[in-house]
Amino acid sequence: MSLAAVLLAGGRSTRMGRDKALLDWQGRPLWQVQLDKLRELKPERLLLSCRREQSLQPGDDAEVVHDAEHADDGPLGAITRCLEFVQMPLLVLAVDMPWMTTEFLQEKLTPGRFYHGAHGFEALAAVYVPAMLPAMQEALRERRLALQRVIGACVQLGLAESVEVDASIAALFRNANTPDEWAA
């Protein structure tokens, strides 16, 4: 299957109090660990979405897509820009999901399938498809930035499907947003 992959590393990390992308994970910056997971998938295109001031250097095999200046449009804006840029299925992985495995990304994520768990859709470990772009672009224009609503609308329109997260994989979707969550 031909697809692109993007690591979302541009979040402001306000609850963490410092840049999550730069946190140490087993002796390496978290963004590098996560980007290497995506590299292992051998996507047709590899992207790193980040803020300009982060100055992350992913190497020659990855393209950097900077967050829009002054837009503050969160993950929806970053994913939309990247999907517009590649115009093909786009595997999205958040920098703050270090428990996600390459095996799961490769074997269980398919275009337009969104896992749905106790906290809603797992929007930051999923494969977005270009057919979703109009709904995403409209939500951005109207400043409705909640990915949950956009994905839900795409599921209702038949542009995406929802699959329940079972207990055996729930831990893969954990993320760390605060120092306490990171310490645990």
Side-chain angles (χ1 to χ4, degrees):
M1 168 180 54
S2 179
L3 61 75
V6 62
L7 177 64
L8 296 182
R12 303 255 179 237
S13 304
T14 53
R15 289 178 283 172
M16 183 64 72
R18 59 188 179 134
D19 192 340
K20 289 188 277 190
L22 302 177
L23 291 172
D24 182 274
W25 182 261
Q26 300 174 348
R28 296 177 59 213
L30 186 55
W31 75 271
Q32 289 178 354
V33 172
Q34 294 295 82
L35 193 63
D36 282 348
K37 289 178 187 176
L38 296 178
R39 275 190 179 104
E40 287 181 43
L41 302 174
K42 297 183 180 18
E44 190 169 317
R45 294 177 77 177
L46 179 60
L47 309 177
L48 172 63
S49 176
C50 61
R51 297 183 322 279
R52 191 170 305 277
E53 65 268 16
Q54 286 176 293
S55 301
L56 304 179
Q57 303 293 320
D60 293 339
D61 64 335
E63 302 169 79
V64 176
V65 179
H66 289 117
D67 289 354
E69 290 186 46
H70 313 296
D72 199 22
D73 50 15
L76 176 61
I79 295 167
T80 302
R81 278 188 292 285
C82 290
L83 192 54
E84 289 169 339
F85 186 58
V86 298
Q87 291 294 316
M88 65 175 46
L90 178 68
L91 189 154
V92 171
L93 178 62
V95 75
D96 64 356
M97 296 178 79
W99 299 277
M100 181 56 66
T101 67
T102 303
E103 294 76 27
F104 182 85
L105 295 171
Q106 188 166 31
E107 296 170 12
K108 300 296 184 186
L109 293 187
T110 60
R113 176 184 291 165
F114 290 85
Y115 283 86
H116 190 273
H119 303 289
F121 292 105
E122 298 294 352
L124 301 181
V127 182
Y128 290 74
V129 294
M132 297 173 69
L133 269 173
M136 296 166 72
Q137 292 163 332
E138 180 182 347
L140 272 176
R141 276 192 305 276
E142 295 177 2
R143 303 300 294 162
R144 292 180 287 112
L145 304 178
L147 272 171
Q148 296 295 313
R149 289 187 179 155
V150 174
I151 295 167
C154 287
V155 168
Q156 285 185 332
L157 292 169
L159 303 173
E161 68 173 315
S162 176
V163 176
E164 290 301 312
V165 173
D166 64 53
S168 68
I169 63 170
L172 298 176
F173 293 101
R174 284 188 2 225
N175 63 357
N177 287 310
T178 67
D180 290 341
E181 289 173 348
W182 184 252

